[in-house]
Amino acid sequence: MNFERKSFKPLVFAMMIAMGLLFSGFFRSAEASDVVGVVDVLKAFRQTDLGKSIQSHLKEFEKKKAEGIQAERHELQAEQKRIQQQMGVISKDALKAKELSFQQKVQDYRKKLQKIQTEVASENAVEIRKFLDALSHATVAVGKRYGFQVVLAEHPIRIPMGPQPPAFSSPRILYMNPKADLTESVIQYINKNNPVGSGQ
């Protein structure tokens, strides 16, 4: 696309694509002159049947994982109280041995907890990506149908994944017509107006 072509039509930020209706097969009317569209990703996730199904699955998945370690957490809390009650009653050596054993159990518990948190985060990422794939296909279809050049994401979904891997976030641009990409024209403009070695 040549940067110096006739001026673009004025940008119109006037349309919100209702994704809940989209997945039911209904399309909101849009003017052919619209250049930029917006999709509220979080709203779509909360209101579509697919999004609701994923939310229900993830809630149940996390609940089952938590139940598996909840009893161990309660036992550690009870053992800590018993050790505190035995201070001054049993010998220092015996108390130290109990404390060392307890610390090892706490470390083992933390490792299990970290593993569960990683499994939950991984399941979240897998399921959310399923939704984002559907969202992407729907957005491309609607964007092309109504002649949008770019469709932006409002309220993108972000999933904290811990330090490794990093946080996972849905894309900011959901759809872009290749004709709207000005990168090459910008590169040419910069090269033309900012020659290397010009002393600027």
Side-chain angles (χ1 to χ4, degrees):
M1 180 177 182
N2 193 328
F3 183 76
E4 297 180 355
R5 288 178 60 183
K6 295 181 180 179
S7 60
F8 299 118
K9 300 175 182 178
L11 298 181
V12 180
F13 294 88
M15 174 177 177
M16 292 287 291
I17 302 176
M19 297 304 294
L21 296 178
L22 172 63
F23 282 97
S24 301
F26 296 94
F27 295 87
R28 179 178 175 177
S29 62
E31 296 297 331
S33 62
D34 286 342
V35 177
V36 177
V38 179
V39 174
D40 188 329
V41 178
L42 189 57
K43 180 179 180 181
F45 182 62
R46 288 172 174 171
Q47 295 189 4
T48 57
D49 293 337
L50 177 61
K52 291 176 182 178
S53 175
I54 290 173
Q55 291 174 71
S56 178
H57 166 73
L58 292 177
K59 185 177 181 180
E60 186 64 25
F61 183 86
E62 185 173 358
K63 180 181 178 181
K64 288 181 179 179
K65 290 293 180 180
E67 289 174 350
I69 201 170
Q70 189 173 17
E72 187 171 346
R73 178 171 61 85
H74 290 159
E75 176 56 32
L76 285 173
Q77 291 173 338
E79 184 173 346
Q80 185 179 33
K81 289 181 179 179
R82 290 195 295 270
I83 292 174
Q84 291 173 346
Q85 291 170 353
Q86 291 175 340
M87 292 179 65
V89 177
I90 61 177
S91 67
K92 291 183 178 180
D93 290 341
L95 181 62
K96 184 176 181 180
K98 286 180 177 291
E99 289 176 339
L100 289 174
S101 175
F102 176 75
Q103 290 174 4
Q104 183 59 52
K105 291 178 182 179
V106 170
Q107 290 179 5
D108 293 340
Y109 168 81
R110 287 175 176 170
K111 289 179 181 179
K112 291 179 183 179
L113 181 60
Q114 186 176 22
K115 181 181 178 182
I116 289 175
Q117 290 173 337
T118 300
E119 290 174 351
V120 170
S122 178
E123 187 70 10
N124 269 267
V126 169
E127 293 298 313
I128 295 299
R129 281 191 173 97
K130 291 179 183 178
F131 172 77
L132 292 178
D133 284 344
L135 178 74
S136 176
H137 293 149
T139 304
V140 170
V142 173
K144 290 182 177 179
R145 179 184 180 114
Y146 293 119
F148 284 92
Q149 297 299 307
V150 178
V151 178
L152 303 177
E154 183 181 23
H155 304 133
I157 298 174
R158 178 179 168 85
I159 308 171
M161 299 284 286
Q164 293 183 347
F168 166 71
S169 181
S170 57
R172 185 174 61 87
I173 297 178
L174 300 177
Y175 165 73
M176 183 174 70
N177 188 323
K179 294 181 179 180
D181 188 351
L182 303 178
T183 306
E184 289 301 322
S185 294
V186 169
I187 290 173
Q188 293 174 18
Y189 187 94
I190 291 174
N191 288 339
K192 180 180 178 180
N193 293 277
N194 299 272
V196 177
S198 63
Q200 295 181 356

